[in-house]
Amino acid sequence: MAQARILVVGGGIAGLTAALALARHGFSVSVLERAAQFREVGAGLQLGANAMRVMAALGLAPDVASRGFRPDAAEIRLGDLGHQVFCLRFAQNAALRTAYVQIHRADLLDLLVAAVRDAGVALHPAVRIVKIVENTDSVAGVTEDGQRFEADILIGADGLRSAVQGYVLAPQPPRFTGQVAWRATVAADAVPAGLVAPRGTIWVGPGRHLVTYFLRGGQLINIVAVEERDDWREEGWMLPGDPALLRAAFADWHPRVTTLLSKVSETYLWALYDRAPLPVWTKGRVALIGDACHPMLPFLAQGAAMAIEDGWVLADCLARDTGTAGLARYASLRQGRTARVQGAARRNAGRFHRRGPVGRTLEFGPMALANLFAPWVLRRSMRWLYDHDVTGGSGV
Ligand code: FAD
């Protein structure tokens, strides 16, 4: 039944990747997006080799790489002293050398929108689904004013506060993690040459961390600064932030950090949410993907990467079987891996934000020793994440 109709609710990275993979298998695909335009908020995104293999299999890797930036390594540094604790050089890792890209979200979304259009996917902006109605022959997404979009399968790719999630099982509200993130970009030519290394750098300190990397071939520097807070009382989850407060939060850090933050003129503040792994991802003709089923802290830079892997696996499972067995196979292939990544991202919060001299020495001392004397131990510890290939060899 290769011509089955598939409705994707949500036109973010998860929804568009799934739509593209499904269209390549010959399905008739429509994407419904509540926003008036298909666009992404926020700035940069890191895509590890596991996500880039899917981009390669979809034929998008060269464009993603040319619109983004290829770092030489990922490193951890102490926020106050500036000492390097750990450095994973991508040139030493076959999989990562070929594929690790940092890209502006807007650029990735533009590429995905162009690709799904070329593949014949029908895009419907300004359509907000509030209800799912299912019967034995079909399923429909319904808007507030009663407009119905009918299909054989419906995919909930509608993010953290997913409406489709509440159909699949009782609504599971995401939880505030006690962390907020400032996000900002700075033009690379506004800072002294060499201030920011051409790699993903995680500056760590008690209760805080800050990540820097380049975007757009090195023209732009992306900054994500995270601080523990228990006082998020705002209605929204994203607010304009005050650059002066961002600078104050990191005022006692290394001059490379404070000099960079002195150039920030605009910033947004995000409350960070996640959720315990959902036990059920599918119901009848409906399945969840991306943040709709596994929102996670961004401390492993893998939320979008998991959404991209989901999209590929779901399309592959439906190409084999468009019935409930196909959806069940998708869930069984993805639940364990995404739960593991959710847990690892959460554990990184404790690791990066370790307090007190003893706690910090116990955390970073062994890492620094392994970095000096046995760097392969650290590389090996990341293989489960980056070497995973959902494309079965069709990607890089
Ligand atoms: P979303 O991006 O939320 O998309 C959902 C879409 O559905 C939206 O377009 C929305 O408008 C639409 N929608 C919602 N409800 C409805 C409805 N009822 N009807 C129709 N449409 C609807 N991930 C990485 O892999 N690497 C990183 O480096 C990284 N860095 C991050 C840094 C920060 C600070 C944060 C907060 C996250 C980061 N992530 C990263 C995570 C990543 O951004 C998310 O996991 C990813 O964007 C989720 O994509 P999604 O398509 O599932 O959800």
Side-chain angles (χ1 to χ4, degrees), residues 77-81 204-206 352-366:
R77 286 185 176 272
L78 298 181
D80 47 3
L81 302 174
V204 295
F352 295 167
H353 296 181
R354 192 70 70 212
R355 293 169 199 272
V358 176
R360 296 187 77 197
T361 306
L362 288 174
E363 185 66 56
F364 300 122

Side-chain angles (χ1 to χ4, degrees), residues 7 36 52 131 135 144 274 318 364 389:
L7 201 59
M52 285 302 294
K131 197 166 85 177
N135 59 42
E144 211 151 30
D274 75 355
L318 288 175
F364 300 122
D389 184 0

Side-chain angles (χ1 to χ4, degrees), residues 76-86 203 254:
I76 294 181
R77 286 185 176 272
L78 298 181
D80 47 3
L81 302 174
H83 295 159
Q84 188 186 73
V85 177
F86 154 88
W203 298 85
H254 193 268

Side-chain angles (χ1 to χ4, degrees), residues 8-16 32-35 37-40 44-48 51 100 105 127-130 157-164 181-183 213 224 226 237 270-272 289-292 294-298 300-308:
V8 180
V9 178
I13 292 166
L16 293 176
L32 311 178
E33 165 57 46
R34 70 174 169 195
Q37 283 172 347
F38 286 79
R39 63 158 191 237
E40 271 275 326
L45 202 57
Q46 309 198 57
L47 296 179
Y100 196 104
R105 286 161 185 268
V127 175
R128 179 164 171 253
I129 294 305
V130 295
D158 49 346
L160 184 68
R161 295 175 195 287
S162 166
V164 182
W182 279 277
R183 299 166 96 175
Y213 54 86
V224 181
V226 174
W237 59 287
W270 305 66
L272 298 180
I289 64 171
D291 275 12
H294 48 65
M296 61 184 72
L297 280 167
L300 204 58
Q302 282 286 327
M306 287 302 109
I308 289 167

Side-chain angles (χ1 to χ4, degrees), residues 324-342:
T324 48
L327 295 182
R329 181 175 149 79
Y330 151 73
S332 74
L333 287 172
R334 297 299 299 156
Q335 279 175 309
R337 174 156 169 86
T338 54
R340 185 174 180 189
V341 176
Q342 279 177 300

Side-chain angles (χ1 to χ4, degrees), residues 47 52 90 97 120 138 155 190 197 250 277 291 315 321 326 362 387:
L47 296 179
M52 285 302 294
F90 295 154
R97 185 180 60 237
S138 66
I155 311 299
F250 293 86
D291 275 12
D321 183 343
L362 288 174
D387 288 3

